[in-house]
């Protein structure tokens, strides 16, 4: 027995207190520790934002220097992980590999973890932030059959990631500044978003006292779905399917048809009932990035702009307050950076790891922290007697 509030999808339930990220969905406002996303995205480095999210304040020059140094110390993977990685089929989806490899880190760092000790929480966060680009690039190398590149600690975080992705032992690679800048921006925009499905998953997994590496793997799994982080990959699949501007209207009609499962990917958001501020920033820089990186006349970008224009004039989308979200334009930039479509959600996971570890550490530091244990409203059969199999 018991009467509980029924709130499917947690539309009206705050699962925790948090001091990390603030969203005003009606106004389209996003703040990390009080700082507007627009300022951080254009002025800060990703590790500066990582420091801010994890520790609560922007670092001084010395603090950032030390933090970068600590992160660099942890970028390598245990060599044994290479054999684990080799066990996956060459064509395994990089998110499947990421999920497995991140989870497997708990096998390497289990005994050293005392989740109730803040020093261990900190070092686990450092390890995760440092190793996730190495793992992400390794999933790509596995996919394309190239040898894994070891991290270059003389490079900055985003430049090092691009290096591990695109260098090979026989061809060096110097990341272009514009590519590094674009990545820095996208990573900042993806770094945290309060209690989304994957962050809530990390918190719920962590609330039992589980190893943080296993908890982050749970976050990766939750992010993978097309209603969440998988949307950035789905957007480009959708744009490719639409093909040209003439077909936009037809697809808009499909998205409105309730008998058709098709939805406009990269549109709509549980919290934003206004333009997603992250999408606004990406849309603005898209022009510049595409101009410098690829050809300025990117047909997919034109198609996306047209799709947005028509949708935002349509009563269906206006009434439901469905606007482009962060995933709508991010894939176009990732594609211009040479990152393949099946890696887009991995990129999201890489950046969101910072948010995940910050939330996990925040939750674990609360004296009142309890295991997350939602209730249910039972609607199965009432009590009945067992019938022997011969009589059924
Ligand atoms: N295309 C067409 N109709 C839509 C869409 C869409 N993309 N999104 C919502 N709707 C409709 C939905 O059918 C419903 O209509 P009605 O009231 O007539 O039944 C109404 O809008 C409300 O939608 P909902 O599904 O109840 O809203 P939700 O808050 O449960 O879902 C969402 C939010 C993001 C899952 C959903 O908008 C969606 O599936 N969008 C497409 C996938 C996507 O872009 N996801 C990325 C989200 S942002 C970044 C991230 O989290 O990774």
């Amino acid at each position: 027995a018991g009467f509980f509030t029924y709130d499917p999808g947690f539309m009206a339930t705050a699962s925790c207190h948090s001091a990390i990220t603030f969203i005003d969905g009606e106004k389209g406002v996003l703040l990390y520790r009080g700082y507007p996303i627009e300022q951080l995205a254009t002025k800060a480095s990703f590790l500066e934002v990582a420091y801010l999210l994890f520790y609560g304040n922007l670092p001084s020059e010395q603090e950032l220097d030390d933090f970068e140094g600590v992160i660099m110390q942890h970028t390598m993977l245990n060599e044994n992980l290479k054999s684990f990685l080799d066990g996956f089929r060459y064509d395994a989806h990089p998110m499947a590999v990421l999920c497995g490899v991140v989870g497997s880190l708990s096998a390497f760092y289990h005994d050293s973890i005392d989740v109730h000790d803040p020093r261990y929480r900190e070092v686990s966060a450092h390890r995760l932030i440092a190793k996730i680009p190495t793992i992400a690039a390794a999933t790509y190398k596995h996919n394309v059959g190239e040898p894994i590149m070891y991290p270059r600690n003389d490079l900055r975080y985003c430049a090092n990631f691009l290096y591990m992705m695109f260098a090979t032992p026989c061809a060096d690679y110097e990341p272009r500044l514009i590519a590094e800048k674009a990545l820095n921006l996208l990573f900042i925009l993806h770094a945290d978003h309060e209690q989304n499905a994957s962050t809530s998953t990390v918190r719920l997994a962590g609330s039992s006292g589980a190893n943080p590496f296993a908890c982050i793997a749970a976050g990766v799994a939750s992010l993978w779905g097309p209603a969440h982080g998988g949307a950035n990959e789905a957007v480009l699949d959708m744009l490719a399917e639409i093909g040209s501007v003439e077909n936009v209207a037809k697809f808009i009609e499909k998205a409105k048809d309730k008998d058709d499962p098709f939805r406009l990917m990269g549109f709509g958001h549980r919290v934003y009932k206004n333009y997603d501020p992250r999408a606004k920033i990406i849309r603005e820089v898209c022009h510049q990035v595409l101009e410098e990186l690829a050809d300025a006349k990117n047909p997919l970008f034109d198609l996306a702009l047209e799709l947005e224009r028509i949708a935002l004039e349509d009563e269906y989308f206006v009434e439901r307050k469905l606007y482009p979200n962060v995933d709508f334009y991010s894939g176009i930039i990732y594609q211009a950076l040479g990152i393949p479509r099946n890696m887009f959600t991995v990129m999201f996971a890489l950046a969101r790891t910072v948010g995940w570890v910050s939330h996990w550490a925040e939750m674990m530091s609360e004296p009142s922290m309890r295991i997350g244990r939602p209730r249910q409203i039972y609607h199965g059969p009432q009590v009945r007697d067992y019938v022997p199999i011969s009589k059924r």
Side-chain angles (χ1 to χ4, degrees), residues 196-216:
N196 53 83
S198 57
T199 305
S200 301
T201 301
V202 169
R203 278 184 174 261
L204 198 55
S207 75
S208 69
N211 180 298
F213 299 95
C215 298
I216 302 305

Side-chain angles (χ1 to χ4, degrees), residues 11 193 196 223 226-231 235 255-256 258 262-271 273 276 278 316-317 320 322 325-327 348 352:
M11 301 283 286
H193 214 230
N196 53 83
L223 185 78
H228 193 7
V235 168
K256 289 154 61 173
K258 295 289 168 199
F262 175 78
R263 281 187 163 200
L264 275 196
M265 298 315 289
F267 255 78
H269 197 275
R270 169 62 61 80
V271 184
K273 301 302 166 200
D276 179 336
R278 303 166 300 171
Y316 174 95
F317 292 89
R320 291 171 179 74
L322 301 171
N325 60 49
V326 67
D327 291 325
F348 193 157
R352 185 55 58 86

